[in-house]
Amino acid sequence: MKLLHLDSSITGDASVSRKLTAQIVAHLQENEDVAYTYRDLTADPLEHLTLAAGGSTSILDEFLAADVVVVGAPMYNFSVPSQLKAWIDRILVAGKTFSYSETGVVGLVGDKRVIVAIARGGFYGPDAAAASSEHLQTYLSAVFGFIGVEAQFIVAEGVMVGPEHRQSAIDSAAETIRSLAA
Ligand SMILES: Cc1cc2nc3c(=O)[nH]c(=O)nc-3n(C[C@H](O)[C@H](O)[C@H](O)COP(=O)(O)O)c2cc1C
């Protein structure tokens, strides 16, 4: 199995999303031989998309080659880090990952598993006061759905509310990771 692991947090060793993506990768490696590629979008950032950069295919090829993609997605200012957005700008490519038809958009990326680890400081569940400000999970769900992949989400939220809640959010995400199909 070819596994692509992406991180985009700027918070280094304190990062919750980095912790969770590492756990997901370790879990997936338990029972299967994995050809592993790691990309740190913060240490090695991609440039903002330009028309000229739109023609470059190495990031897209790396994504297309992977059977499983694990994405670390911290919430920064209600949405994805701009480092992750620059990567997304390379993988949504007409004719490669989606196409337009008379009946609408068709996703062209079929048989790929995408697992996204989300970390949010506050609460954004359906009953939370800030629910309508959630533009991270909803956005990523739309992005991957657009190209034909139903992403799985592992969520740790409320991690800035206090140390106890931070730990319980991390523990409960870790439990969900252990129950993921390998
Ligand atoms: C620049 C920045 C912006 C943030 N914006 C938000 C936000 O809009 N909503 C929120 O709930 N938490 C916000 N947070 C808190 C992060 O979502 C939280 O710390 C989470 O753990 C980030 O993931 P990471 O630990 O992997 O970096 C922000 C944190 C940073 C550093």
Side-chain angles (χ1 to χ4, degrees), residues 50-110:
T50 60
L51 263 188
S56 151
T57 61
S58 60
I59 297 295
L60 176 61
D61 289 347
E62 184 178 74
F63 170 71
L64 290 174
D67 302 302
V68 181
V69 183
V70 176
V71 183
M75 177 182 272
Y76 294 154
N77 302 319
F78 309 114
S79 189
V80 289
S82 53
Q83 291 90 339
L84 181 55
K85 176 63 166 57
W87 179 84
I88 291 166
D89 288 340
R90 267 77 181 183
I91 66 156
L92 263 58
V93 180
K96 299 274 189 181
T97 52
F98 69 91
S99 64
Y100 293 105
S101 76
E102 280 177 13
T103 51
V105 169
V106 182
L108 302 177
V109 180

Side-chain angles (χ1 to χ4, degrees), residues 8-12 14-19 72-79 117-124 133 136 156-160 166:
S8 61
S9 166
I10 61 170
T11 62
S15 164
V16 174
S17 63
R18 285 176 187 268
K19 207 186 291 295
M75 177 182 272
Y76 294 154
N77 302 319
F78 309 114
S79 189
I118 280 188
R120 298 188 286 235
F123 294 100
Y124 295 84
S133 299
L136 174 65
E157 71 167 358
V159 302
M160 297 304 278
R166 181 186 185 86

Side-chain angles (χ1 to χ4, degrees), residues 43-57:
D44 197 6
L46 303 172
E47 295 192 352
H48 288 299
L49 186 66
T50 60
L51 263 188
S56 151
T57 61

Side-chain angles (χ1 to χ4, degrees), residues 121-137:
F123 294 100
Y124 295 84
D127 299 329
S132 65
S133 299
E134 210 294 329
H135 304 294
L136 174 65
Q137 184 169 350

